[in-house]
Amino acid sequence: MTTVTRFAPSPTGRLHVGNIRTALHNWMLARKAGGTFMLRIDDTDAERSEERYVEAIRADLEWLGLIPDGEERQSQRLDSYDAAFEMLRAAGRVYPAYETAQELDLKRKIQLGRGLPPIYDRGALQLSEAERAAKEAGGVAPHWRFKLDHGEAITWDDGVRGPQKFDAAQLSDPVIRRADGSWLYMLPSCVDDIAMGITHVLRGEDHVSNTAVQMQMFTALGATPPRFAHEALLVGKEGKLSKRLGSLGCDAFRERDIEPEALIALLARLGTSMPVEPIAARDVLIETFDLGTFGRAPAKFDDTELDRINAAIVHQLDYNAVCDRLPKDMDAAAWHAVRPNLEKVGDAKEWWRIVTGPIEQPAFDAETRDYLAEASDALAWSDSPWRDLTTTLKERTGRKGKTLFLPLRQALTGMDHGPDMGELLPLIGEDEARTRLLSGSQG
Ligand code: GLU
């Protein structure tokens, strides 16, 4: 049986780092098994779903390199939900209920006041045919609940959490359809998972109790439930699920010049027992992906860790991977020269500006000015002008270490530190280098 996974966002907003993590893990689960990764747009909520978010979800997945093998949209599958609904209704697994939101709220408050769990009391099932007819004659349209089977315990072996057991009597019969005929999440998701041949549902642990209900729906629909795995939620460094975390989306990362590969490397292993490493090769991440390594404690997302991974990833990126984001004339040699000094790809343009000039030199004292005059005289062009220059100057002046190198770096770049001068000097070029050394010598 091939593995089929899905990522099922609701297009009611932009993806945030928590959704991205879920998408990634589903993608990796499918890729590792040589299976299929599907995108399912959960847009049954017509009021809150927006087309621009559907487009943003697709664009974000593309930027992340998590390309789905196919896409389904719930708004185009309403007929299937109707059919499933009719089937469940005929089987007595769906029933109409007439309570208003206020009535339900009151029931819950009374239960809680008595120290009881706020489970729906199945009041609607007690109604006689006449009472129901009276409600409808009075203009109350019913909403619809799925009738849980209280007969046997609901169990599954969760891919992350291990064996799970729920008593259906401790759960409310879920509302699956509103009075206006629109759908809530619960049933359409099962209908789609069956139709799409989903073999593994991997999602956040906030869905665990939904899974208990959905296990019975799959069975009621005549299907074998997929394998379920619920991962611990992602939280901010400070421990709480911060608002900021929810605002962290692909746009924010792109603006910060974070590489998708950095985000992928971090999110692939955050919350697992594997070390988070700057692994740019996706096949390595896929190969080592294992639900068995997922911990039960919330995974902590830390921006500084992302920056650290990002820098280490940038140091590995080939020129071809970045050339369209570099200044126009910056070539592969220039990229390789500055790459080890970058935290972000965008910082490359600062170094390129230093290569092309003009630069601002510090004020040099008289002794250093003489030294720089000597340097402009000693400069000769070859395959390794920096090595030649420093060798000659060492012989002529007796300088060594910092006193030999630092004034040259300062005169040539205006900086105290930076990329290897052996790689930078050829980029600056002979004429410009001599001009800079001379200008330093003149103070
Ligand atoms: N649209 C649901 C959500 O975003 C999907 C949950 C699921 O994976 O089944 O929470």
Short mmCIF file of all heavy atoms in Angstrom, two decimals, residues 309-330:
data_model
loop_
_atom_site.label_atom_id
_atom_site.label_comp_id
_atom_site.label_asym_id
_atom_site.label_seq_id
_atom_site.Cartn_x
_atom_site.Cartn_y
_atom_site.Cartn_z
N ILE A 309 21.01 28.56 12.10
CA ILE A 309 20.89 27.55 11.04
C ILE A 309 20.98 28.23 9.68
O ILE A 309 21.62 27.73 8.75
CB ILE A 309 19.55 26.79 11.15
CG1 ILE A 309 19.41 26.09 12.50
CG2 ILE A 309 19.35 25.81 10.00
CD1 ILE A 309 20.23 24.86 12.65
N ASN A 310 20.35 29.40 9.59
CA ASN A 310 20.33 30.10 8.32
C ASN A 310 21.75 30.44 7.86
O ASN A 310 22.12 30.20 6.71
CB ASN A 310 19.50 31.38 8.42
CG ASN A 310 19.25 31.99 7.07
OD1 ASN A 310 18.47 31.49 6.29
ND2 ASN A 310 19.97 33.06 6.76
N ALA A 311 22.56 30.99 8.80
CA ALA A 311 23.93 31.36 8.43
C ALA A 311 24.69 30.13 7.94
O ALA A 311 25.35 30.17 6.90
CB ALA A 311 24.63 31.99 9.64
N ALA A 312 24.54 29.04 8.67
CA ALA A 312 25.28 27.82 8.30
C ALA A 312 24.80 27.26 6.96
O ALA A 312 25.58 26.67 6.21
CB ALA A 312 25.15 26.77 9.40
N ILE A 313 23.53 27.48 6.65
CA ILE A 313 23.01 27.03 5.35
C ILE A 313 23.55 27.93 4.24
O ILE A 313 23.98 27.44 3.19
CB ILE A 313 21.46 27.06 5.35
CG1 ILE A 313 20.88 26.02 6.31
CG2 ILE A 313 20.90 26.91 3.93
CD1 ILE A 313 20.67 24.63 5.77
N VAL A 314 23.57 29.24 4.49
CA VAL A 314 24.07 30.19 3.49
C VAL A 314 25.51 29.83 3.11
O VAL A 314 25.88 29.89 1.93
CB VAL A 314 23.98 31.65 4.02
CG1 VAL A 314 24.76 32.60 3.12
CG2 VAL A 314 22.53 32.09 4.14
N HIS A 315 26.29 29.42 4.10
CA HIS A 315 27.69 29.08 3.82
C HIS A 315 27.83 27.88 2.89
O HIS A 315 28.89 27.65 2.33
CB HIS A 315 28.44 28.81 5.14
CG HIS A 315 28.40 29.97 6.08
ND1 HIS A 315 28.72 29.88 7.41
CD2 HIS A 315 28.05 31.26 5.86
CE1 HIS A 315 28.56 31.07 7.98
NE2 HIS A 315 28.15 31.92 7.07
N GLN A 316 26.74 27.15 2.72
CA GLN A 316 26.80 25.96 1.84
C GLN A 316 26.20 26.22 0.46
O GLN A 316 26.28 25.37 -0.41
CB GLN A 316 26.01 24.81 2.45
CG GLN A 316 26.42 24.40 3.85
CD GLN A 316 25.40 23.41 4.44
OE1 GLN A 316 25.00 22.45 3.80
NE2 GLN A 316 24.98 23.67 5.65
N LEU A 317 25.53 27.36 0.29
CA LEU A 317 24.77 27.55 -0.95
C LEU A 317 25.67 27.80 -2.15
O LEU A 317 26.61 28.59 -2.08
CB LEU A 317 23.80 28.73 -0.80
CG LEU A 317 22.62 28.53 0.16
CD1 LEU A 317 21.80 29.81 0.26
CD2 LEU A 317 21.74 27.37 -0.30
N ASP A 318 25.36 27.14 -3.24
CA ASP A 318 26.09 27.35 -4.48
C ASP A 318 25.66 28.65 -5.14
O ASP A 318 24.55 29.12 -4.95
CB ASP A 318 25.81 26.20 -5.46
CG ASP A 318 26.60 24.97 -5.09
OD1 ASP A 318 27.65 25.14 -4.43
OD2 ASP A 318 26.16 23.86 -5.44
N TYR A 319 26.57 29.16 -5.96
CA TYR A 319 26.30 30.41 -6.68
C TYR A 319 24.97 30.32 -7.45
O TYR A 319 24.17 31.24 -7.43
CB TYR A 319 27.47 30.69 -7.61
CG TYR A 319 27.26 31.89 -8.50
CD1 TYR A 319 27.21 33.17 -7.95
CD2 TYR A 319 27.13 31.74 -9.88
CE1 TYR A 319 27.01 34.28 -8.76
CE2 TYR A 319 26.94 32.85 -10.69
CZ TYR A 319 26.88 34.11 -10.14
OH TYR A 319 26.68 35.20 -10.93
N ASN A 320 24.76 29.19 -8.10
CA ASN A 320 23.54 29.04 -8.92
C ASN A 320 22.27 29.17 -8.11
O ASN A 320 21.24 29.59 -8.63
CB ASN A 320 23.53 27.68 -9.62
CG ASN A 320 24.53 27.65 -10.75
OD1 ASN A 320 24.92 28.71 -11.25
ND2 ASN A 320 24.97 26.47 -11.13
N ALA A 321 22.35 28.80 -6.85
CA ALA A 321 21.16 28.84 -6.00
C ALA A 321 20.82 30.27 -5.59
O ALA A 321 19.70 30.53 -5.16
CB ALA A 321 21.38 27.98 -4.76
N VAL A 322 21.78 31.16 -5.70
CA VAL A 322 21.55 32.52 -5.18
C VAL A 322 21.73 33.62 -6.22
O VAL A 322 21.42 34.78 -5.94
CB VAL A 322 22.50 32.83 -3.99
CG1 VAL A 322 22.17 31.95 -2.80
CG2 VAL A 322 23.96 32.68 -4.38
N CYS A 323 22.26 33.30 -7.41
CA CYS A 323 22.72 34.35 -8.33
C CYS A 323 21.63 35.37 -8.66
O CYS A 323 21.91 36.56 -8.80
CB CYS A 323 23.35 33.76 -9.58
SG CYS A 323 22.29 32.64 -10.46
N ASP A 324 20.37 34.93 -8.71
CA ASP A 324 19.34 35.91 -9.06
C ASP A 324 19.01 36.85 -7.91
O ASP A 324 18.23 37.78 -8.08
CB ASP A 324 18.07 35.21 -9.56
CG ASP A 324 17.58 34.16 -8.59
OD1 ASP A 324 18.34 33.82 -7.66
OD2 ASP A 324 16.44 33.68 -8.75
N ARG A 325 19.61 36.62 -6.76
CA ARG A 325 19.39 37.53 -5.63
C ARG A 325 20.63 38.36 -5.33
O ARG A 325 20.68 39.07 -4.33
CB ARG A 325 19.00 36.71 -4.39
CG ARG A 325 17.62 36.06 -4.53
CD ARG A 325 17.51 34.83 -3.67
NE ARG A 325 17.60 35.14 -2.26
CZ ARG A 325 17.87 34.24 -1.31
NH1 ARG A 325 18.08 32.97 -1.65
NH2 ARG A 325 17.94 34.60 -0.07
N LEU A 326 21.65 38.25 -6.18
CA LEU A 326 22.90 38.98 -5.94
C LEU A 326 22.97 40.21 -6.84
O LEU A 326 22.26 40.28 -7.85
CB LEU A 326 24.10 38.06 -6.24
CG LEU A 326 24.22 36.80 -5.39
CD1 LEU A 326 25.42 35.99 -5.84
CD2 LEU A 326 24.32 37.15 -3.91
N PRO A 327 23.83 41.18 -6.49
CA PRO A 327 24.03 42.33 -7.40
C PRO A 327 24.42 41.82 -8.79
O PRO A 327 25.08 40.78 -8.92
CB PRO A 327 25.20 43.09 -6.76
CG PRO A 327 25.16 42.71 -5.32
CD PRO A 327 24.64 41.30 -5.27
N LYS A 328 24.04 42.57 -9.78
CA LYS A 328 24.10 42.10 -11.18
C LYS A 328 25.47 41.55 -11.59
O LYS A 328 25.56 40.50 -12.20
CB LYS A 328 23.69 43.25 -12.10
CG LYS A 328 23.21 42.83 -13.46
CD LYS A 328 22.42 43.90 -14.13
CE LYS A 328 23.08 45.06 -14.75
NZ LYS A 328 24.28 45.65 -14.67
N ASP A 329 26.53 42.27 -11.24
CA ASP A 329 27.86 41.88 -11.72
C ASP A 329 28.58 40.89 -10.81
O ASP A 329 29.68 40.46 -11.11
CB ASP A 329 28.75 43.13 -11.87
CG ASP A 329 28.11 44.11 -12.82
OD1 ASP A 329 27.43 43.66 -13.76
OD2 ASP A 329 28.27 45.33 -12.58
N MET A 330 27.96 40.55 -9.73
CA MET A 330 28.64 39.69 -8.77
C MET A 330 28.72 38.26 -9.32
O MET A 330 27.70 37.63 -9.57
CB MET A 330 27.88 39.72 -7.45
CG MET A 330 28.71 39.24 -6.30
SD MET A 330 27.89 39.57 -4.73
CE MET A 330 28.90 38.50 -3.71
#
